[in-house]
Amino acid sequence: MSLSEVFGRCKPLIVYICAGDPSPDETVEIAERIARAGADVLELGLPHSDPIADGPVIQAASQRAIAAGMNTDLYFDIASRIEGVPKVFMGYYNMVYRRGLERFASDCRASGICGMIVPDLPMEESRPLREAASRHGIDLINMIAPNTPDKRIREIIALSSGFVYLVARAGVTGASADLLESTKHLIERVPPVIPRAVGFGVSRPEHAAELLRAGADGVIVGSACVDLIGRNELDRLEDLIRRMKLAMTEVSVKSAASIQQS
Amino acid sequence: MDEISCEVRFGRYGGRFVPETLVQPLLELAEAFERLRVDPEFLRELSTLMRDFAGRPTPLYRAENLSRALGRDVYLKREDLLHGGAHKINNTLGQGLLAKYMKKKRLIAETGAGQHGVATAIVGALLGFETEIYMGEVDIERQRMNVFRMELLGARVIPVRSGSRTLKDAINEALRDWAASYESTHYLLGTVAGPHPYPSMVREFQRVIGDETRSQILAEEKRLPDSIVACVGGGSNAMGIFTPFIDDDVRLIAVEAGGRGPGGGDRSAEHGASLAFGDPGVLHGAMTKILQDPYGQILESYSIAAGLDYPGVGPELAHLVETGRVETATASDRTAIMGFKALSKLEGIIPALESAHAVGYAMEHPEMLGELSVINISGRGDKDLHTVMAYESV
Ligand SMILES: Cc1ncc(COP(=O)(O)O)c(C=O)c1O
């Protein structure tokens, strides 16, 4: 299923995990449990030694995975064994560049990955990978931050396919207690000509619901889940995802009802 | 400083490979730098500080004894005489003043050995910034004196516990901090690496080394040198002294840390020679030559000189090496120790272990120097005495 089909059917819950954490053997099972619990899209991270966009939780997961022997070959092997959920790659540019852009995109395709998120690849640097990805039918997902000016937002959207990733706050990934007013403002600033999924700091069902009410087309949760995997609390992980998905479904049902009433 | 706007790219190297959140702060910084580098008031204030606070110009010293030993004329550019004991202050004064003009309240910086951290703390105290220095836990252990120095100067040292807990992780942490704090904070990066505009901006603040060298050697010798030798960690003292000579017929030799020699294990290299042994890739926001494994994980580097212990290098140097304009060489730990001791005995000058790589290389390869050569003594060696003592005792 393509990303535009996913967003056409629902407002997806997108769940990030770090491939190979705690070990390459366990990732397939964890991913499938996440999918069964209600994740609509799996964002599968390829761990990097120097994850500059990530906070302490994902840094620690990346280190665990690398120490457990995770590498790019294993990554695609794992990805191709995860079934029943659309998959998106997330990883740093050097890992992609080192394998070769064309080969990387082709490996994504072959292992059933339909999109790529590369957090250290801003618009200006993204053309070579965008072209390689598009030759293999893969969406390169662009990010938009709270400090991205309106004009640049329009330029980014013009280059985007699949969805755009709205960064909910300045700084790095990691769970936070509250969502900021600035996040809601950011959603308003991005015209709904392409699905807008919001991530960074989302950790609770209330956040997910609030984001949908603010107009988001999808919600991305990462550190909150990675943290539970790190503690080996897989039942709580499933529970969190179930409650998030439920909160999101309730918002969608209510808004559908209110549209019908009006 | 000339008026051409600074480059984003150097051939295939350079660029700005950063999270979207950092794009605006970097654009703002590039814009401020372009504006201020030609602002008479800024330039006047900077050159007054360079003279009265840092101690510029530094001498270009004709090293008679070394010249005799090598059978050619060798001059030393004495950056070791600057306040703080290294060339780092040229950059920290420049960026510190820039940050003041940009109305920032706080400085953050990374440091490995502590040299750049100290130079930043000095400027933070001078110009009244709140100053926080990211430093790997491993380095804090190795460099207690510099941690104390930074704290004495009023800076706070923040231990970095992620990754290899060394310089590269300190840079990651500073970038993460800046992504959330840029409105009030300037990230004062210590070398010609990192995303645009740092490579060109730091080069411009360091080129005073080469500008002075040029007029000094012309005054003394009525001609340009045949060669210039500088050590390379990130490349700032090398780019500083090389830049004014790029279009001349002068051999430019960049000496990297050979450490214990090429090779190494899965996660680490036994050297810091990214120009000599690295492959193209992205580290800390720039496409450059980096030490990496076959999958693109960054390797830990190694050198006896903490300032050369970095798995990347400035993108412009990577480009200048690729085009053949700059030659690369490596000096092992052993060669550096030899240079350290030889310069101390021959000239009464104790060089930093970093600079001792350039000295040691020159002494082992005098035939590469031509008849008239300049070696950049990027810093003084007081900070390294315990390292050399420990090396000697094994
Ligand atoms: C004295 C000295 N020389 C050289 C270096 C290496 O840095 P760069 O290559 O940027 O000049 C350092 C770094 O700490 C240093 O302290």
Side-chain angles (χ1 to χ4, degrees):
Chain A
M1 197 178 351
S2 74
L3 287 169
S4 51
E5 283 167 339
V6 173
F7 280 90
R9 288 199 328 185
C10 72
K11 300 201 171 201
L13 173 61
I14 302 168
V15 175
Y16 169 92
I17 62 169
C18 176
D21 173 40
S23 74
D25 288 342
E26 287 158 274
T27 299
V28 174
E29 196 206 318
I30 293 173
E32 286 175 354
R33 285 180 72 166
I34 286 171
R36 277 199 304 273
D40 301 295
V41 176
L42 179 74
E43 184 186 333
L44 190 62
L46 172 61
H48 184 44
S49 53
D50 293 74
I52 55 172
D54 286 301
V57 170
I58 294 176
Q59 287 173 41
S62 305
Q63 269 178 264
R64 283 193 299 267
I66 292 169
M70 192 58 204
N71 63 41
T72 314
D73 296 326
L74 275 174
Y75 177 90
F76 286 115
D77 177 54
I78 288 169
S80 60
R81 287 192 285 131
I82 298 171
E83 287 175 3
V85 60
K87 291 163 290 189
V88 170
F89 161 85
M90 135 78 209
Y92 288 83
Y93 191 53
N94 195 51
M95 302 293 289
V96 180
Y97 183 79
R98 183 71 161 162
R99 196 172 186 84
L101 308 185
E102 200 67 41
R103 180 173 170 210
F104 205 100
S106 144
D107 286 343
C108 281
R109 179 77 195 188
S111 56
I113 288 169
C114 56
M116 298 177 74
I117 300 171
V118 184
D120 59 344
L121 195 68
M123 183 175 77
E124 292 78 1
E125 309 287 358
S126 67
R127 197 166 133 201
L129 182 58
R130 179 175 320 288
E131 290 175 355
S134 110
R135 276 193 290 277
H136 294 274
I138 309 268
D139 295 316
L140 181 63
I141 311 303
N142 291 303
M143 299 178 108
I144 293 176
N147 62 359
T148 307
D150 289 340
K151 175 164 173 286
R152 188 176 167 86
I153 289 180
R154 287 194 295 275
E155 290 166 0
I156 291 174
I157 286 180
L159 290 173
S160 294
S161 63
F163 65 94
V164 287
Y165 189 138
L166 273 48
V167 175
R169 56 141 197 252
V172 295
T173 55
S176 53
D178 309 302
L179 291 174
L180 302 170
E181 274 311 303
S182 60
T183 309
K184 294 180 190 163
H185 183 57
L186 178 60
I187 298 171
E188 283 163 20
R189 288 203 299 131
V190 181
V193 292
I194 180 162
R196 301 151 306 163
V198 184
F200 276 45
V202 181
S203 65
R204 299 180 184 171
E206 309 89 87
H207 295 163
E210 209 178 324
L211 285 171
L212 289 196
R213 280 194 295 268
D217 302 301
V219 173
I220 304 167
V221 54
S223 295
C225 296
V226 173
D227 186 42
L228 291 171
I229 294 171
R231 297 160 197 258
N232 199 20
E233 304 239 35
L234 297 187
D235 293 335
R236 279 182 61 196
L237 171 67
E238 279 187 48
D239 183 55
L240 175 66
I241 291 167
R242 220 173 276 124
R243 287 186 295 118
M244 281 203 154
K245 182 63 191 170
L246 186 66
M248 290 169 70
T249 311
E250 276 170 6
V251 176
S252 301
V253 171
K254 269 189 203 141
S255 68
S258 70
I259 288 167
Q260 277 184 348
Q261 276 172 9
S262 63
Chain B
M1 294 182 202
D2 52 38
E3 291 207 28
I4 355 161
S5 72
C6 50
E7 314 88 316
V8 178
R9 243 167 256 284
F10 310 95
R12 64 165 154 162
Y13 298 111
R16 200 192 289 121
F17 294 84
V18 294
E20 176 67 17
T21 317
L22 282 176
V23 171
Q24 295 310 311
L26 289 168
L27 290 173
E28 185 199 332
L29 180 60
E31 188 275 321
F33 175 62
E34 291 297 335
R35 183 161 40 81
L36 290 168
R37 68 192 295 204
V38 292
D39 179 289
E41 190 191 321
F42 176 83
L43 292 175
R44 203 175 318 114
E45 202 172 339
L46 181 58
S47 71
T48 305
L49 285 172
M50 287 283 210
R51 186 189 65 206
D52 300 341
F53 187 73
R56 300 216 74 91
T58 59
L60 182 71
Y61 172 67
R62 192 187 144 84
E64 291 293 348
N65 302 330
L66 182 63
S67 296
R68 208 170 307 120
L70 298 185
R72 59 211 70 223
D73 292 331
V74 180
Y75 280 78
L76 307 177
K77 181 59 175 164
R78 298 292 309 277
E79 295 297 291
D80 58 308
L81 294 175
L82 286 171
H83 180 38
H87 72 291
K88 298 281 173 190
I89 192 92
N90 302 327
N91 173 45
T92 57
L93 271 180
Q95 285 194 50
L97 199 60
L98 186 78
K100 192 174 131 188
Y101 275 66
M102 291 176 79
K103 306 208 160 41
K104 304 291 178 186
K105 302 276 175 271
R106 176 173 170 259
L107 296 179
I108 54 172
E110 80 292 344
T111 198
Q115 291 307 104
H116 173 59
V118 169
T120 303
I122 288 171
V123 167
L126 172 76
L127 300 177
F129 289 101
E130 179 194 347
T131 306
E132 299 195 295
I133 310 290
Y134 285 98
M135 189 168 183
E137 239 177 12
V138 172
D139 292 328
I140 288 180
E141 237 3 90
R142 292 195 282 209
Q143 305 286 341
R144 287 255 151 235
M145 275 305 219
N146 270 342
V147 173
F148 184 63
R149 234 175 233 134
M150 287 183 267
E151 288 170 351
L152 203 57
L153 292 159
R156 198 162 80 85
V157 177
I158 306 178
V160 175
R161 301 197 171 87
S162 56
S164 56
R165 296 176 290 140
T166 59
L167 176 61
K168 84 174 173 65
D169 310 281
I171 298 178
N172 293 338
E173 217 41 50
L175 286 168
R176 292 179 187 119
D177 179 317
W178 202 41
S181 67
Y182 63 88
E183 282 179 9
S184 67
T185 299
H186 174 66
Y187 175 23
L188 208 166
L189 198 122
T191 189
V192 287
H196 176 73
Y198 287 102
S200 355
M201 179 173 68
V202 177
R203 176 198 68 211
E204 290 303 310
F205 286 134
Q206 289 290 2
R207 69 171 287 164
V208 63
I209 309 173
D211 288 334
E212 284 177 11
T213 301
R214 193 180 174 97
S215 55
Q216 288 165 323
I217 196 88
L218 285 174
E220 278 303 309
E221 297 282 343
K222 311 282 179 286
R223 73 167 182 107
L224 295 180
D226 297 322
S227 66
I228 301 177
V229 186
C231 68
V232 173
S236 68
N237 86 88
M239 284 309 300
I241 197 166
F242 291 169
T243 294
F245 298 91
I246 293 286
D247 296 326
D248 298 309
D249 186 17
V250 177
R251 216 163 172 172
L252 304 174
I253 305 174
V255 184
E256 295 184 289
R260 295 185 277 252
D266 284 352
R267 296 266 165 270
S268 64
E270 295 290 311
H271 55 80
S274 328
L275 289 171
F277 304 125
D279 297 299
V282 170
L283 175 63
H284 298 139
M287 179 70 72
T288 185
K289 285 274 195 90
I290 60 181
L291 303 179
Q292 54 182 325
D293 81 0
Y295 294 106
Q297 308 290 12
I298 310 304
L299 299 176
E300 287 170 42
S301 52
Y302 163 78
S303 169
I304 191 165
L308 306 187
D309 193 350
Y310 178 58
V313 66
E316 188 171 12
L317 260 179
H319 174 63
L320 290 170
V321 167
E322 200 155 277
T323 61
R325 179 62 193 94
V326 169
E327 295 166 58
T328 55
T330 57
S332 66
D333 287 359
R334 185 198 308 255
T335 299
I337 295 278
M338 181 276 289
F340 183 87
K341 292 203 222 163
L343 200 68
S344 303
K345 283 223 174 65
L346 278 171
E347 297 291 349
I349 295 170
I350 303 176
L353 268 177
E354 290 80 8
S355 327
H357 282 72
V359 175
Y361 169 80
M363 296 188 70
E364 283 181 354
H365 302 277
E367 74 288 354
M368 301 292 284
L369 307 181
E371 290 304 308
L372 176 61
S373 182
V374 176
I375 305 174
N376 196 19
I377 306 300
S378 54
R380 65 168 183 239
D382 307 50
K383 68 181 176 62
D384 298 314
L385 299 181
H386 67 282
T387 308
V388 177
M389 282 165 71
Y391 184 88
E392 295 292 282
S393 69
V394 291

